[in-house]
Amino acid sequence: MASNGAADGFTTPNVLQAMLTMRSGDSSSKKAAMDYLQKFQKSNEAWTTTISILQGSPEAEAQLFAATTLKGKITYDLATQIPESEHAALRNQILVLLKKFASGPKPVRVQLCVCLAILAIQMQSWKDVLQTVVSALGDDVSSHACILDFLRVLPEEVTEGRKITLSEEELIQRTSELLADNANEVVGLLINYAQSSPAAATNPQLFECITSWLREVPVTVVVNSPLLDAVINGLSDDRSLQAAAECLGIICRETRDVDDNLETIQALLPKVLQLRPRIQALADEEDIEGFKAITRVFADAGDSWVLLCAREPQHFRPLVDALLECCARDKERDAIHYTFNFWYELKQYLTLDHYIAARVQLLDVYSKLVDVLLKQLEYPESDDPNEFDLFDGDREQEEKFREFRHHMGDTMKDACQVMGTTECLTKVHEAIKIWRERFGGQATESAVPHWQSLEAPLFALRALGRLVDKEENIVLPEIMPLLVQIPINNEKLRFAAIMVFGRYTEWTSAHPDYLQPQLSYVLASFQTPSQEILRAAAQSFKYFCVDCKHLLGPQAIELQGFYNSILDTLSDHSKEDLTEGVATVISVQKTEDIYSLLKLYCDPLVQRLMTKANNATDDTSKLELADHINLLTQYVQNVVPYWPSNSDNPAVRYWQEVFPILATILDNFIDFVPICERICRCWRFMVISYRTAITPLLGPLANKLAEGFAKSKQGCFLWASSAILREFSEDREHVEDGIVDSIYGFFEAQATNVLRMMSDIAPIDLPDVIEDFYRLLIDALLYYPQRLIPSPLFTPIFQAAISALSLEKQEPVSAALHYIRDLLTYGGDNPASSSQQFGAVGVQLREHVRQLLLSQGEALIKQTLAGMMITFPRDCFSDGSGVLLGMFELLPAETSTWVDRTIRMLPAGTITDAEANKLMAKINEKLQGGDHSNLRHVRTLLQDFTNTYRRRYIAPRDGLGMLTAARFHFEG
C-alpha cells in the first residue's frame, strides 16, 4: 500500500500516547489529545499507523480505535488518498487482520468486517467478494463468527452506500453485484452452517444474518428452506431467543403484502401458532425479556396479517387469541404495548361495513380485551390504602406508567368502536358497581380499600369521553350520580372523578340536571392543598365554562367572587385555565353588559398587576409580573363582542383604560425580555381580536411598538407589528387611506431600524430579531407589494436576507427563505399576493424583481447552496431547494452559471472537476429541453448533489473559504 511515510507527528507511539492522555489526562491535555487524534484521522499517515496498531498493539481499546479510524478512512478518503492499483493490497491486509481477530474481541472484528464491506462497495473491479472472503478466512470454527459478521454487515453497508463517493448508477450496479447476485449463495452458506452442529443451529449470529439478508432474499425462499425451522427452534433456546424473535418478526413483516404472499403466510401461520405455549411458559418463569420477545413475534405477525384476520376471522382466530393472551399474561406491563397497533389496525377494518361479519365473530375478543385493559390500567397494589407513592419514589417509573396508561386508553377506544359505546360503558359501569359491592361499605373518611380497582374504570371512562355522544341516555345517567359520591379524601380517586367531569362537559351541557352536582364537586376541590387536584379542577372548570357557558351565564357575577378569591392560590397554568373559563362565560353575555363585566373581573387583576410592578425588584418577581399579564390576554382573546364597525366597541373602550398602565410597565421594564414579550403578545391579540375596531388605540400602540423596538432591540415588537400590518392592509374594508399610509410608514420605520441593527451586529447575535423581521416582511410583501417592491428598502432587505442564510439556526433561516420564496413569485405570473389584480403595475413589479435578481442573484445562489451543503439545519433543505427552483424558473441561464461558479468555490479536495462538470452537464441538458417539468429534475439533481456532499463532508475547521457569507451593510 502506498504511503509517503509516517510523519514524526503521527507515529504509532504518539497516537497511543494521545489515547492514554484521553483516558487519564487533565482537561486541557485531553482537548489537545482530542485535536491531535482528529487531525490524525484525516491524515495520509493514518493508513499505515492504524494497520500497524492492529498488527502489534495488545490493547483492545487501541485496536478498536484503529479499526474505527480505518473504517472512516475507507469511507471518506479511499478515492483521494489511495491509488486504485493499491486497493487489492489494502483488501488483503484487512483479510489478514480479520483472520487474526476472528476469535475476538468482537467489536474490533465487526469494525474490520465493516471496513471490508465498504471497501468491497468501492472496489468495483472486485467481482468475487463472497468467494474471496470465505476462502481467505477458511472453514475452521473460529472463522465462522467472522464470516457471519461480514455477511451481516454487507447488506447494511450497501444500503447506507450513499455515504460513499460513487454515482447513483455505480451504486445501483454495485448493489446488484454484491447482494442480488449473491443472495442464493448466501442462503446456501447459511443452511450449511445451520446444519453443521446443534450449537450453530442456535447461534444468534445466524439469525442476525438471516435478518440482514431478508432485504435481498425473497421471503418465500427462507420460509421454504430449513432456515425457518432453525429460527423457530431458536425461540426455544435462551441464548438465541432475542435474535430469533427479531428474525421471525422480520420474516412476518416481509409478508405484509398479503395478497402476494398467501402461500407463504399459510406455511408460516402454523409455525407461529406452535409457539403459543411459550407465552404461558415464559410468563410463569417470569422471564420478562423472553416474554417481550415472544409477544413481539405475535404482534409482528398480527400487524402483517391483520387484513387476513378481518377477511378470514375463523382461520386466523387462534392468532388473535394468542395476542389477547399476551395482553392478559403481561404481569409487568412491559410487553402489552407491542399489541396496541394490531388492535387499532384490526378495528379499522372491523368498523367498515364490508367486514361486519368478521366484526360479529370477533366481538367477544374485544369484549375480553376491555376486561384485560381494565385490569392492566390499575395502579400497583399497596398494603397501606393511604399510600399513594406506589413506585418507591421513582418518578421516572411513575411517569412512564402514566404515559403507558394513556396508550392503553387509546386501545380502550379502539375496543369501544368495535363493541359500541353503550356496551363498553356498561363494562365500565359494572366494574364500578363491583367495587361498590365489595369494598364500598368498608370505605371511611381516612381510607378507601382497593381504590385501584375503582380508579381504573374511572380512567377508562375518561379515555372513552371523546367517543360518547352527548345524547347518550342509557349508561351515563346511571354513572354520573355515582361519581359525585366518590370519596374526596382519596387523592387519586378525586383526581380521576374531576377529570371525568371535565371530559364529559359536552354531555353535561345537553343534560343540565347533572351540571350543579358536578360543578359543586369540582369547585369544592379547590380547597385541597394538592397541586395535582388543583390543576385538574382548574382544567375541568375551564371545560365547564366553555361547553356550558350559556347555562352558567346567570352565575357570571357570582363566579367572579369565587374567581377573585381562589386565583392567588393556583399555579400559573391553572390561573390561565380558570381565567379562560370565566372569560368564555363573559363572552356570551349581553353586549351592553360587556364593559361592566370586564371592569368587574379585570380591575382586580389590573390592581394586582400594578402592585406586582411596584414590588418587582428581582428576576423572580419580574417573571411573576410577566405571567400575570397573560391573564389579561386571556380576556382579550376570549371576550370579543360583535359590534357595528362604526360604533364604540365596549371591550376596546375598556382596554383603552388599561393601555396606559401596560405602556408604563413596558417603559419601566424595557430591559426585561419576558415582560416585553407578554405585553407585545397582549397588544397583538388586541389587534387580532378587535381588528379595525382597535383604531382608537392604533396611534399610541404603533408608537409604543416602534419606541419599544428602538430601545430593547427585541423581536417581539416586530411580531406584534405584523398583526397591525395584516389587519390594516389596503384591501381591508372600513380602513381609511390615511390610516393605511400611516401604517406603512410605521412599517418602514421598523424595517429601517432593523436594517441598521443588522448592519452593526452580526447575524449570529440576532437570530430572534431576524426571524421576527422576516415574518413581518412576509406580511408586508403579501399586503403591500405595490409599496414595498419599488421601495428603496427593497434591495437592502433582500441583501440582509442573504446574509441571514449564513446562520445555523432553523427559525431565522426558515423565515428568510420563506420571504425569498414569496418574493421570487413576484418575478413571475403568479405572485403570492392577497390581491391578484395588479394590471399594469404587475409588469413594473416583475421588472423590479428581475433587476434585483440580476444584481443579487449570484450572492443568493452561493449562500443557498452553501447552506444546503454545509450550514442549513435539516428542516431548511426543502425551502432552500425551493429557492433554487424559483431562480431557475425566472433566470435559467444566469442561475446555471451561478451554480457552476459556486460549486467550484468548494474547499479543495472535497469535489473533483469531473464531478462538477458532470453535474453541470446534466443541469444544462435539462435546461435545453425547454420543458418546464425539466426544472423539477434540475431541482432533484441539486438536492441529490447537496445531500451527497453534506453526508461526505463536515464544515471545514478553517471556515467556508470563498463560500463565507458577505457581511451586510446598510447606509440608510
Side-chain angles (χ1 to χ4, degrees):
M1 191 175 85
S3 172
N4 297 326
D8 291 341
F10 293 133
T11 61
T12 299
N14 286 349
V15 172
L16 294 175
Q17 181 58 47
M19 292 185 64
L20 182 63
T21 302
M22 288 293 296
R23 290 201 300 267
S24 57
D26 56 43
S27 58
S28 60
S29 299
K30 285 182 178 179
K31 185 178 184 306
M34 173 68 79
D35 291 341
Y36 171 84
L37 290 174
Q38 287 180 338
K39 291 177 182 176
F40 160 72
Q41 289 179 314
K42 294 178 180 294
S43 70
N44 284 329
E45 292 77 18
W47 294 99
T48 52
T49 303
T50 52
I51 290 176
S52 173
I53 293 173
L54 287 165
Q55 289 173 335
S57 175
E59 291 189 16
E61 187 175 352
Q63 294 167 350
L64 182 58
F65 172 77
T68 304
T69 299
L70 184 59
K71 179 184 72 174
K73 298 298 291 181
I74 296 172
T75 302
Y76 299 111
D77 298 333
L78 181 71
T80 56
Q81 294 183 357
I82 302 294
E84 191 172 339
S85 60
E86 299 189 15
H87 289 181
L90 175 61
R91 175 194 65 194
N92 295 338
Q93 284 182 308
I94 296 173
L95 285 168
V96 170
L97 290 171
L98 269 175
K99 187 75 173 172
K100 174 184 176 182
F101 288 100
S103 57
K106 182 179 178 180
V108 178
R109 184 181 72 215
V110 170
Q111 287 298 311
L112 288 172
C113 286
V114 173
C115 289
L116 191 60
I118 298 172
L119 179 61
I121 298 168
Q122 297 184 75
M123 195 173 165
Q124 298 177 67
S125 60
W126 185 13
K127 302 298 183 182
D128 57 344
V129 173
L130 211 58
Q131 297 84 347
T132 302
V133 173
V134 172
S135 173
L137 295 177
D139 195 35
D140 54 286
V141 176
S142 64
S143 294
H144 288 168
C146 199
I147 294 173
L148 289 171
D149 276 339
F150 177 74
L151 290 177
R152 176 179 62 82
V153 303
L154 182 61
E156 296 170 359
E157 294 306 318
V158 173
T159 304
E160 295 297 320
R162 285 180 170 273
K163 296 177 183 175
I164 294 167
T165 57
L166 295 180
S167 69
E168 292 295 320
E169 295 82 1
E170 291 169 334
L171 188 56
I172 290 170
Q173 180 183 347
R174 199 60 181 145
T175 299
S176 176
E177 292 172 351
L178 292 174
L179 302 183
D181 295 351
N182 286 318
N184 290 334
E185 186 174 350
V186 169
V187 171
L189 284 172
L190 295 179
I191 291 173
N192 290 337
Y193 176 75
Q195 295 175 339
S196 65
S197 70
T202 56
N203 184 352
Q205 283 185 285
L206 170 66
F207 306 125
E208 290 168 357
C209 258
I210 298 172
T211 299
S212 184
W213 278 86
L214 276 168
R215 304 169 185 171
E216 312 303 327
V217 177
V219 67
T220 185
V221 173
V222 175
V223 171
N224 293 323
S225 76
L227 292 177
L228 179 60
D229 285 332
V231 173
I232 297 296
N233 293 333
L235 284 157
S236 300
D237 187 283
D238 291 342
R239 181 173 71 118
S240 58
L241 173 59
Q242 298 296 330
E246 175 67 17
C247 183
L248 185 55
I250 295 289
I251 289 172
C252 291
R253 292 204 290 272
E254 288 294 316
T255 65
R256 192 179 291 269
D257 294 328
V258 293
D259 290 323
D260 297 331
N261 293 283
L262 287 175
E263 290 185 9
T264 304
I265 293 169
Q266 292 302 336
L268 269 174
L269 180 61
K271 298 286 188 181
V272 172
L273 291 178
Q274 77 181 50
L275 297 170
R276 185 171 176 181
R278 292 285 285 157
I279 300 173
Q280 181 176 349
L282 290 166
D284 292 344
E285 293 167 13
E286 298 184 352
D287 182 348
I288 296 173
E289 293 304 314
F291 188 83
K292 287 166 64 176
I294 202 71
T295 301
R296 202 165 63 244
V297 168
F298 283 103
D300 283 334
D303 287 344
S304 302
W305 307 334
V306 64
L307 175 57
L308 296 178
C309 293
R311 280 185 189 170
E312 304 176 48
Q314 188 170 357
H315 186 62
F316 283 85
R317 175 65 182 255
L319 177 60
V320 180
D321 287 339
L323 280 158
L324 181 64
E325 183 180 354
C326 289
C327 297
R329 294 189 183 279
D330 185 17
K331 301 171 186 174
E332 300 298 323
R333 303 181 177 97
D334 281 331
I336 189 173
H337 68 275
Y338 292 123
T339 73
F340 290 164
N341 186 65
F342 169 75
W343 301 118
Y344 167 76
E345 295 291 348
L346 184 57
K347 177 265 299 185
Q348 293 289 83
Y349 287 114
L350 296 183
T351 50
L352 298 175
D353 291 342
H354 183 71
Y355 296 104
I356 187 66
R359 180 177 181 177
V360 171
Q361 291 188 50
L362 295 175
L363 202 61
D364 66 309
V365 176
Y366 275 94
S367 179
K368 293 172 185 174
L369 178 62
V370 170
D371 295 332
V372 169
L373 292 174
L374 283 172
K375 188 63 182 173
Q376 295 284 31
L377 282 169
E378 291 183 12
Y379 274 94
E381 286 285 348
S382 171
D383 294 334
D384 181 358
N386 292 321
E387 177 57 62
F388 299 126
D389 185 2
L390 304 173
F391 298 89
D392 299 323
D394 188 340
R395 293 290 169 247
E396 182 179 348
Q397 193 65 26
E398 182 174 5
E399 189 57 38
K400 180 182 175 183
F401 177 68
R402 287 185 176 185
E403 183 180 352
F404 162 72
R405 293 177 97 211
H406 285 289
H407 290 305
M408 274 202 291
D410 291 337
T411 303
M412 180 76 75
K413 284 184 277 191
D414 295 333
C416 181
Q417 288 177 274
V418 174
M419 296 171 60
T421 53
T422 300
E423 291 76 7
C424 201
L425 286 174
T426 299
K427 279 191 166 290
V428 173
H429 186 204
E430 288 298 322
I432 295 172
K433 287 197 297 185
I434 288 172
W435 181 88
R436 284 170 59 85
E437 291 168 4
R438 290 183 181 176
F439 309 113
Q442 303 173 33
T444 66
E445 289 188 4
S446 58
V448 180
H450 299 284
W451 59 266
Q452 293 91 338
S453 57
L454 175 58
E455 191 275 344
L458 295 183
F459 182 90
L461 186 62
R462 169 186 164 196
L464 297 173
R466 189 178 300 172
L467 301 179
V468 180
D469 191 272
K470 66 179 182 179
E471 304 301 328
E472 205 283 327
N473 289 314
I474 300 173
V475 185
L476 285 181
E478 295 187 32
I479 292 180
M480 289 304 181
L482 299 179
L483 298 192
V484 296
Q485 301 173 38
I486 294 290
I488 62 174
N489 58 302
N490 184 293
E491 183 176 321
K492 297 289 188 186
L493 292 177
R494 191 170 192 173
F495 176 85
I498 292 169
M499 295 302 286
V500 169
F501 291 143
R503 181 57 64 92
Y504 284 86
T505 49
E506 285 189 34
W507 181 86
T508 303
S509 70
H511 299 78
D513 292 346
Y514 296 87
L515 171 61
Q516 208 54 52
Q518 293 179 28
L519 187 60
S520 297
Y521 189 96
V522 171
L523 294 181
S525 300
F526 281 99
Q527 305 306 320
T528 181
S530 166
Q531 285 300 310
E532 189 170 38
I533 294 292
L534 288 174
R535 284 195 297 271
Q539 185 183 83
S540 289
F541 177 81
K542 176 182 73 173
Y543 292 138
F544 273 110
C545 290
V546 170
D547 291 325
C548 306
K549 51 183 175 287
H550 294 287
L551 296 175
L552 292 173
Q555 303 180 42
I557 295 177
E558 180 184 343
L559 283 175
Q560 193 277 334
F562 160 77
Y563 171 75
N564 197 47
S565 65
I566 206 72
L567 190 67
D568 293 334
T569 66
L570 303 177
S571 66
D572 290 331
H573 189 273
S574 294
K575 287 178 182 177
E576 291 204 35
D577 279 341
L578 205 68
T579 302
E580 183 180 344
V582 296
T584 305
V585 174
I586 294 173
S587 70
V588 298
Q589 303 304 300
K590 294 178 181 178
T591 306
E592 55 268 26
D593 295 335
I594 292 294
Y595 174 79
S596 60
L597 284 171
L598 279 174
K599 283 193 69 67
L600 178 67
Y601 274 85
C602 295
D603 277 359
L605 290 182
V606 173
Q607 189 58 49
R608 287 183 176 93
L609 187 69
M610 292 189 291
T611 302
K612 288 178 181 291
N614 290 333
N615 297 327
T617 55
D618 56 20
D619 284 354
T620 301
S621 55
K622 290 177 183 178
L623 282 172
E624 289 178 2
L625 171 62
D627 290 334
H628 194 75
I629 295 167
N630 277 344
L631 302 184
L632 292 176
T633 306
Q634 286 289 350
Y635 289 97
V636 172
Q637 289 178 268
N638 290 285
V639 184
V640 186
Y642 171 75
W643 203 252
S645 59
N646 57 351
S647 303
D648 182 19
N649 187 299
V652 173
R653 178 154 46 100
Y654 179 74
W655 297 121
Q656 282 180 271
E657 298 174 9
V658 176
F659 182 84
I661 298 170
L662 292 175
T664 301
I665 292 173
L666 179 66
D667 291 339
N668 293 335
F669 296 95
I670 193 68
D671 57 346
F672 193 71
V673 175
I675 290 178
C676 293
E677 289 178 342
R678 302 302 197 285
I679 291 178
C680 284
R681 181 172 180 269
C682 183
W683 288 346
R684 180 174 181 270
F685 276 112
M686 285 184 187
V687 177
I688 293 172
S689 293
Y690 306 117
R691 309 189 72 174
T692 55
I694 202 69
T695 300
L697 264 176
L698 198 55
L701 176 57
N703 288 338
K704 295 308 294 185
L705 290 174
E707 180 185 316
F709 179 74
K711 289 182 178 178
S712 73
K713 297 180 172 56
Q714 293 300 319
C716 56
F717 292 95
L718 303 177
W719 178 59
S721 299
S722 67
I724 297 177
L725 213 61
R726 279 197 301 274
E727 294 302 333
F728 290 87
S729 60
E730 291 179 297
D731 57 354
R732 293 285 193 203
E733 295 180 1
H734 313 300
V735 178
E736 299 174 6
D737 291 343
I739 292 179
V740 172
D741 293 339
S742 299
I743 294 302
Y744 186 77
F746 159 70
F747 156 73
E748 283 200 325
Q750 293 283 63
T752 301
N753 282 336
V754 177
L755 292 171
R756 288 171 180 160
M757 188 186 306
M758 292 181 68
S759 181
D760 295 337
I761 303 173
I764 195 172
D765 297 319
L766 293 171
D768 294 338
V769 169
I770 289 172
E771 178 192 357
D772 288 320
F773 181 48
Y774 282 98
R775 300 287 179 214
L776 172 65
L777 279 163
I778 290 169
D779 287 332
L781 190 62
L782 179 64
Y783 295 111
Y784 294 88
Q786 293 156 284
R787 295 176 185 245
L788 176 60
I789 291 176
S791 162
L793 294 178
F794 188 54
T795 297
I797 285 171
F798 188 76
Q799 293 170 329
I802 296 173
S803 173
L805 298 184
S806 64
L807 292 171
E808 297 182 24
K809 189 175 179 183
Q810 187 259 324
E811 293 83 359
V813 172
S814 181
L817 287 171
H818 286 175
Y819 169 72
I820 293 170
R821 292 190 69 179
D822 284 355
L823 183 153
L824 292 178
T825 66
Y826 285 87
D829 298 326
N830 189 26
S833 169
S834 62
S835 173
Q836 300 290 327
Q837 307 303 317
F838 287 129
V841 176
V843 177
Q844 298 174 14
L845 297 182
R846 283 197 293 274
E847 185 58 27
H848 276 297
V849 171
R850 183 180 178 82
Q851 292 304 316
L852 173 73
L853 296 179
L854 286 171
S855 65
Q856 304 296 325
E858 183 169 6
L860 172 63
I861 293 297
K862 184 182 85 167
Q863 209 53 51
T864 303
L865 278 173
M868 292 179 68
M869 288 186 287
I870 302 172
T871 61
F872 278 179
R874 185 159 296 279
D875 288 344
C876 296
F877 286 4
S878 62
D879 284 318
S881 176
V883 168
L884 296 177
L885 176 62
M887 288 295 292
F888 271 110
E889 288 174 340
L890 297 176
L891 301 170
E894 294 86 347
T895 303
S896 177
T897 301
W898 296 331
V899 168
D900 192 2
R901 289 176 187 168
T902 300
I903 61 175
R904 297 182 194 281
M905 295 179 187
L906 289 166
T910 63
I911 182 175
T912 64
D913 285 340
E915 288 177 302
N917 293 338
K918 187 175 181 180
L919 172 66
M920 293 313 304
K922 288 183 177 179
I923 289 175
N924 290 326
E925 177 187 343
K926 298 297 181 185
L927 293 178
Q928 287 171 3
D931 186 350
H932 187 272
S933 64
N934 282 341
L935 293 177
R936 300 285 174 182
H937 295 143
V938 172
R939 180 183 190 178
T940 302
L941 286 171
L942 286 170
Q943 282 178 323
D944 289 345
F945 173 78
T946 54
N947 286 338
T948 301
Y949 188 93
R950 194 180 186 96
R951 276 191 297 267
R952 268 195 243 161
Y953 305 106
I954 60 172
R957 296 183 187 194
D958 54 352
L960 302 182
M962 297 173 70
L963 292 179
T964 303
R967 182 67 187 272
F968 171 68
H969 293 287
F970 178 61
E971 303 296 336

